[in-house]
Amino acid sequence: MISFDSNIAPGNDSFGLLGKSADELRDFIVSLGEPPYRAAQIYHALYAERLRTIDEISNLSLELRRRLGTVANLSLPEIARRHHSSDGTVRYVLGLTSAGRMDAATIETVFMPEEKRQTVCISTQAGCAVNCQFCLTATLGLVRNLSAAEIIGQVIVALEDNRAALKPQTNVVLMGQGEPLLNYDAVMTAVRILLDPKGLAISPKHVTLSTSGIIPGIEKLAREPVRPKLAISLNASNDEQRNAIMPINRKYPLKDLLDACRNYPLRPWEHLTFEYVLLGGYNDHPEDARQVAKLIANLRAKINLIPWNPGELPYHPPNAARVEAFRKILADKGYLVFVRYSRGQDVMAACGQLALLESSRIVPPQTLSSASR
Ligand code: SF4
């Protein structure tokens, strides 16, 4: 935990500044008898400047910083391990040891540098209960939901750890461990801060939330005034096939899911993204592509085809000819189709690989601290 003064340890009930909205910070600051504009200064320091300790918020008086150090904390996820890929991707194993929390856990966050931008892939839960059969995270089960602080903290940690090489544009994808729409409130609190021009100030065009198809969550997201782009993890061309690899489909079958997609209010610049992991010999037949085209007919859709990453699970990568044939069938129907070869495969950072055994451990805080960096 990072605090203002190592000699003044905040108590377990100290107020966590990170992950708080402008309104929550204002209520807290006013409760201390301070003027509300102090909260705006803290909000700016946390998210626009990405300062990592209370001590660094130098436009607060020394006295206020000292006081905050005793009643509040600025606790970021700790980097337990970094795994560097040959393609520049960094997979972080982060320890979550927020002040006062007994349920410490580890999660994974991936930083992917490109020529003109960087993409940060963040987790929204430790583990996941959705049990998609092609996903290593599913083997962990759900450890727990992440807080808004733990979600936004991943972006701050990844950006600050790469500060010297940052490009002007940052993309954030909520595609790491967990089903974002099953941790709705914390996810949306974090997303609002990400998208707030006074917060992390990332464009809604550059933040994408991916769901396995939780229909009530999609309907709720549709009513949000501020929201990220939406991606649906489709991965099958019919219910029988999808039931077998995504058991959530039994609860929210394809027809209902696609109805929810048709009712989803896209902004003028927006496409709905469908992700489709191509499992060799399973869902990569030309007939599957034709069925997918029918499923998403009349939707303003973009399709990302993700050839399966070889791993510990009993599936096979598709061959290149099958991938191209699948792409062409959809492209000929007029859809935007991209083949996304996952990055960071050599450090298990690729799609569906975010689950080392270390992620499943409930790690006591003192163990994490000693393993840190
Ligand atoms: S693909 Fe996503 S929703 Fe499915 S088990 Fe993995 S983390 Fe959970």
Side-chain angles (χ1 to χ4, degrees):
M1 190 191 67
I2 300 163
S3 63
F4 164 67
D5 183 336
S6 57
N7 294 319
I8 307 173
N12 282 352
D13 56 354
S14 78
F15 183 84
L17 297 172
L18 194 68
K20 296 298 191 297
S21 67
D23 287 350
E24 287 171 315
L25 287 176
R26 193 193 53 233
D27 290 348
F28 172 66
I29 283 295
V30 168
S31 78
L32 297 180
E34 296 287 336
Y37 74 87
R38 292 291 185 203
Q41 289 176 316
I42 295 171
Y43 189 85
H44 188 265
L46 294 178
Y47 307 126
E49 297 181 84
R50 302 196 302 268
L51 300 183
R52 287 171 288 175
T53 65
I54 293 170
D55 193 25
E56 290 174 77
I57 311 176
S58 56
N59 53 1
L60 301 181
S61 67
L62 186 62
E63 189 192 342
L64 178 55
R65 281 181 277 160
R66 282 196 182 282
R67 189 170 177 210
L68 284 176
T70 62
V71 297
N73 68 83
L74 205 181
S75 181
L76 283 158
E78 291 191 357
I79 299 173
R81 273 171 288 285
R82 292 178 186 83
H83 300 275
H84 292 271
S85 164
S86 56
D87 67 14
T89 297
V90 186
R91 178 170 64 85
Y92 293 96
V93 179
L94 299 180
L96 306 177
T97 57
S98 303
R101 288 199 76 134
M102 300 304 292
D103 51 351
T106 58
I107 50 156
E108 299 179 26
T109 301
V110 182
F111 179 87
M112 292 165 277
E114 292 172 65
E115 201 183 326
K116 294 184 177 159
R117 63 182 184 190
Q118 50 274 329
T119 298
V120 185
C121 175
I122 59 175
S123 297
T124 53
Q125 298 177 307
C128 183
V130 174
N131 202 21
C132 303
Q133 297 297 294
F134 51 83
C135 171
L136 272 179
T137 303
T139 62
L140 304 174
L142 177 64
V143 178
R144 69 166 170 83
N145 279 334
L146 303 191
S147 66
E150 291 165 338
I151 296 167
I152 204 102
Q154 294 171 65
V155 179
I156 293 171
V157 165
L159 292 179
E160 287 304 297
D161 198 49
N162 295 277
R163 175 180 267 276
L166 288 183
K167 306 295 186 325
Q169 182 183 318
T170 296
N171 288 9
V172 175
V173 293
L174 289 81
M175 297 185 185
Q177 292 181 8
E179 164 53 66
L181 296 182
L182 292 181
N183 184 18
Y184 191 91
D185 291 342
V187 164
M188 284 310 296
T189 299
V191 163
R192 287 182 201 111
I193 296 167
L194 281 176
L195 300 181
D196 182 357
K198 292 182 177 171
L200 271 101
I202 302 175
S203 161
K205 294 180 180 176
H206 300 148
V207 178
T208 303
L209 180 155
S210 173
T211 178
S212 58
I214 308 296
I215 293 175
I218 294 170
E219 291 170 344
K220 209 167 164 187
L221 192 64
R223 297 191 292 273
E224 294 283 352
V226 173
R227 55 190 158 91
K229 291 195 297 180
L230 178 63
I232 308 290
S233 187
L234 187 66
N235 308 318
S237 66
N238 59 68
D239 278 318
E240 190 185 351
Q241 200 180 56
R242 198 165 191 263
N243 287 345
I245 57 172
M246 298 183 74
I248 194 75
N249 192 68
R250 294 178 193 279
K251 190 166 184 185
Y252 303 119
L254 280 170
K255 181 184 176 308
D256 298 349
L257 175 58
L258 273 302
D259 282 349
C261 291
R262 289 199 171 80
N263 290 330
Y264 192 78
L266 292 172
R267 290 158 284 194
W269 47 266
E270 190 172 13
H271 285 78
L272 201 54
T273 299
F274 288 92
E275 294 156 347
Y276 195 102
V277 176
L278 287 162
L279 304 169
Y282 184 75
N283 63 359
D284 64 340
H285 304 88
E287 183 53 25
D288 290 314
R290 286 189 277 274
Q291 286 300 324
V292 167
K294 279 189 194 157
L295 284 175
I296 63 175
N298 302 321
L299 276 166
R300 199 187 322 144
K302 175 181 120 180
I303 302 139
N304 287 335
L305 300 175
I306 306 160
W308 164 250
N309 298 302
E312 293 168 26
L313 298 172
Y315 296 102
H316 305 285
N319 71 43
R322 270 274 179 80
V323 174
E324 173 53 21
F326 204 102
R327 186 201 67 76
K328 190 167 182 318
I329 289 168
L330 289 167
D332 287 349
K333 302 274 184 195
Y335 293 106
L336 286 171
V337 195
F338 301 92
V339 179
R340 306 281 195 206
Y341 287 94
S342 291
R343 299 185 56 181
Q345 294 189 31
D346 53 339
V347 292
M348 296 292 283
C351 297
Q353 291 184 329
L354 292 183
L356 289 183
L357 282 180
E358 57 194 325
S359 292
S360 67
R361 289 191 318 221
I362 307 293
V363 187
Q366 63 273 24
T367 311
L368 274 171
S369 299
S370 61
S372 170
R373 291 179 193 87

